[in-house]
Amino acid sequence: MKIGIVCYPTFGGSGVVATELGKALAQRGNEVHFITYSQPIRLDFFNENIFYHEVNISNYPLFEYPPYESALAGKMVDVVKYAKLDILHVHYAIPHATSAFLAKQILKLHGINIPVITTLHGTDISIVGRDPALNPIVTFGINNSDGVTAVSEDLRKDTLNTFKITNEIEVIYNFVDLTRFYKQKKDHFKSLICPNNEKLLVHASNFRKVKRVGDIIQAFAKIRQEVPSKLLMVGDGEERQKMEELCRNLDLCEDVRFIGKLDAIEEVLSVADLFLMPSEKESFGLAALEAMACEVPVISSNIGGLAELNIHGETGFLSNVGDIDDMVKNAIFVLKDENLPVFKQNALKRAKQFDLNLIVPKYESFYKSIMKKMAK
Ligand code: GMT
């Protein structure tokens, strides 16, 4: 198949899923065309089946806001037409689903009826799409896609409860590449971070408010009183400065390190003992899945799709959003030497259920079913 993939090219989860999906589809013999405003972050190699098309926006002085949606739609028309794509798969509803609709209408004038698939990722529904100005746009984009998927059952339900949806939404869970995310032997690295054999706690995100990074710092201050431990904070974003100040105020600087954005996150996860995800909203929690694949149990909130991934009492624990004391209690339990190996094995076992080799064929089948339906 010739597949066009539209996504945000940054460190955000939707872009990561879209890029990994494209890579896996290419590996399986499909021709994949990425259409984005810059090179996707995890697309840093050559593959004969992968093509990249940059969306260029003219910056005429008249524009306070350059017309990205139009430029994207124009690029979609161009790539569908000249690369002869079979299907267009857009990730994140805003504005990708509506740009795809526009491209589809233009292509119809050229005698091409391109199937458009929209995958909902989370904040497009739970935060950004809830803006009254964007609600009709998201509703329109979803209802006018030829196929719609959501990355968890919770996100599917949330979408149906929030918008007037007339289309079906299929759940296809996020996935992990187990050939990249596995526990690597990095003893030297571990002894550098934890010279006295402390336990290592890790968080990775884009440090947006919705991630409640402050809860992690507060929880760590208490965990460390009971369990000798270190905390590694991976990623960067609007909350980072405030979090560094919080660490200084709580006198934690010796034990907390902010290491910024890191592409090779699997190296850190390979030496971690616990992953923390206290988010206020989380449609799935891809970073938690990647941690679990590296045998790292997860302490998370019980929000969104997290309960569909993290099994309470088996692969970690779930707490109410903001219930720091519960998270502390659970973390201390998991970190006990007699419990940790069991939680680690359970985390890996659970992650294997989200193996890329199981999930990517579901997307291929979904594409084929939509194409078949449209051919009738
Ligand atoms: O929250 C983020 O890290 C970014 C956001 C995105 O759309 O880029 O992530 C969402 O999509 C991920 C991939 O499907 C999910 O794993 C995240 O749970 C989801 N984030 C939220 O719902 C807050």
Side-chain angles (χ1 to χ4, degrees), residues 11-15 17 92 120-124 126-127 151 174 206 208 210-211 281-287:
F11 268 97
S14 62
V17 170
Y92 209 88
L120 309 172
H121 278 275
T123 52
D124 43 356
S126 62
I127 301 180
V151 298
N174 283 335
N206 45 33
R208 292 196 203 126
V210 71
K211 302 291 176 185
K281 291 187 189 300
E282 205 68 65
S283 67
F284 180 85
L286 182 65

Side-chain angles (χ1 to χ4, degrees), residues 8 12-15 17 90-94 118-131 138 142 148-152 154-159 162-163 169 172 174 208 210-211 280-286 303-305:
Y8 286 105
S14 62
V17 170
V90 306
H91 291 258
Y92 209 88
I94 311 158
T118 296
T119 289
L120 309 172
H121 278 275
T123 52
D124 43 356
I125 298 304
S126 62
I127 301 180
V128 191
R130 270 179 165 75
D131 179 338
V138 174
I142 294 173
V148 184
T149 74
V151 298
S152 67
D154 184 85
L155 181 60
R156 190 183 81 88
K157 286 192 185 132
D158 193 22
T159 309
T162 312
F163 305 92
I169 301 177
I172 302 183
N174 283 335
R208 292 196 203 126
V210 71
K211 302 291 176 185
E280 193 166 328
K281 291 187 189 300
E282 205 68 65
S283 67
F284 180 85
L286 182 65
I303 207 72

Side-chain angles (χ1 to χ4, degrees), residues 186-194 232 259 267-268 271:
K186 295 273 171 194
D187 295 348
H188 173 66
F189 185 32
K190 174 85 184 240
S191 56
L192 281 176
I193 314 169
C194 302
L232 265 191
I259 59 173
E267 295 188 1
V268 165
V271 293

